[in-house]
Amino acid sequence: MKCNKQLSLAGIIAFGTIAFVSGSLAADLPAAPIVKAPAPVYPLFSWTGGYIGGSVGSGWGTSQTALAVGNTFIGAPVNQTVNQLIGGTADFTVPLPQVQMNGFLGGVQAGYNFQSGVMVYGVEGDFLWSGVKGRNGCFVVLNCTNDTKWIADITGRVGLTVGDRGLVYIKGGAAWADSSIGINQSFAVTSNLGTGFAANGTADGRATKKIFGGTLGAGVEYAFLPGWSAKVEYDYFDFGRQDVTLPISVASRVQTGDIAPAAIAIGVTTPVSFKQQLHTMRVGVNYHF
C-alpha cells in the first residue's frame, strides 16, 4: 500500500514536470504568421479586337465664300446674267468676309484594333451631329451664314502603348460633312417728308451641299477597366473648295403717299465657291469586345 502511494506521488510529479516544460517551450515558440489573401491581378489589357463608343465635344473653324459676279443670273423682269447686261465677259469673283464658326457636337464611333508588341494598328469610323455654325456681315447690309449639320469620317489609326493600359495614337483619312451657306436680311425704311414714303423687304438665299475632304487627328486613350477605355482626341478637317449655286429671293413692298403699295419680287441665282476648315476636340468612352 505504501509502495502504491509512492508510485502515485512520483507519477504526479513527473506529469507536472512534463506539463511545465511543455508550456515553457510553447511560450518560447514564435507566433504563427498571418497569411493574407493575394490582391487580385488583372491580365494585361489587349487592344486587339472591335470596339464601339460615343463622344462629345466642341468644334470651331472658318468658312470663306466668294461670288462669281459675272455669271450671276437676275430673274424676271430682267432675265439676264450680269455679263449679258453689261455686254461683257467678266469672270471675276467677289470674296465675302470670312465666317467664324463654333458650336457643340457629339456622336458615335466604332472600329477595330490589332496589337503587335507595343504597336497598335486600326481602322475607325465616326459620325457626329453638329451644331457648329456662324454668321458675319457681308455686302454692307446682308448677313452671310454657314451651318454644318453633321460630320463623318473613316480613318486609319497607328498607336503606341504606354505602360499596361495607355495608348497614344494618330489618325487620318477621308471626311464628309453636310454644310449650308446662306445670305439673308430684312429691312424697313420710312420717311415723313413730303407725301411720305415707306418700304420694307427681305433678301434670303440658302444652298446645302454634302462636301468631301480629309482629316488628321491625334489622341490619348486609357483602359480604366477590363473592356472599357476613355479617350481625349483632337481632329482637323479640310474640305477644300466647294462650288454651289445659291438662289436668292428679294421681295419688297413700297408705298408713296396715298398711292397703293407696289410689291416687287426678284430672283437672283449666283454661282458661289466656299472653303471650309474645322477643328474638333472631344472626350469619349469605348466598349471593347
Side-chain angles (χ1 to χ4, degrees), residues 170-184:
I170 58 174
K171 59 185 291 189
W176 298 262
D178 184 315
S179 183
S180 64
I181 61 172
I183 293 178
N184 60 74

Side-chain angles (χ1 to χ4, degrees), residues 55-248:
S55 62
V56 295
S58 62
W60 66 96
T62 59
S63 177
Q64 180 70 61
T65 305
L67 304 182
V69 177
N71 293 321
T72 297
F73 180 81
I74 303 173
V78 179
N79 289 325
Q80 287 184 316
T81 66
V82 171
N83 277 333
Q84 290 172 330
L85 283 174
I86 65 177
T89 57
D91 188 19
F92 64 93
T93 59
V94 176
L96 301 182
Q98 189 178 79
V99 175
Q100 301 287 334
M101 302 179 294
N102 59 77
F104 171 85
L105 46 80
V108 295
Q109 67 270 352
Y112 186 88
N113 291 322
F114 172 75
Q115 182 173 352
S116 176
V118 297
M119 301 299 298
V120 177
Y121 308 93
V123 61
E124 182 177 83
D126 294 274
F127 186 90
L128 302 171
W129 290 273
S130 168
V132 178
K133 56 186 176 181
R135 173 188 296 265
N136 198 5
C138 59
F139 281 130
V140 183
V141 297
L142 298 177
N143 291 318
C144 289
T145 63
N146 187 285
D147 188 359
T148 302
K149 295 294 185 183
W150 55 258
I151 305 169
D153 65 53
I154 297 178
T155 59
R157 297 203 318 170
V158 178
L160 178 68
T161 59
V162 179
D164 294 338
R165 294 172 175 268
L167 177 67
V168 178
Y169 62 88
I170 58 174
K171 59 185 291 189
W176 298 262
D178 184 315
S179 183
S180 64
I181 61 172
I183 293 178
N184 60 74
Q185 187 58 281
S186 60
F187 62 88
V189 179
T190 60
S191 174
N192 294 322
L193 298 177
T195 58
F197 172 84
N200 61 74
T202 60
D204 186 70
R206 180 167 294 276
T208 299
K209 184 177 182 179
K210 307 297 188 294
I211 57 179
F212 173 77
T215 180
L216 290 172
V220 178
E221 194 165 357
Y222 182 76
F224 60 92
L225 283 175
W228 290 91
S229 65
K231 70 173 184 175
V232 178
E233 182 176 299
Y234 163 81
D235 294 296
Y236 168 73
F237 298 87
D238 191 338
F239 295 99
R241 172 177 167 168
Q242 306 290 332
D243 297 313
V244 296
T245 299
L246 178 65
I248 304 172

Side-chain angles (χ1 to χ4, degrees), residues 20-62:
F20 175 77
V21 172
S22 299
S24 299
L25 291 174
D28 292 336
L29 293 175
I34 300 175
V35 180
K36 295 182 178 180
V41 177
Y42 296 112
L44 292 178
F45 187 84
S46 174
W47 293 96
T48 297
Y51 62 90
I52 188 170
S55 62
V56 295
S58 62
W60 66 96
T62 59

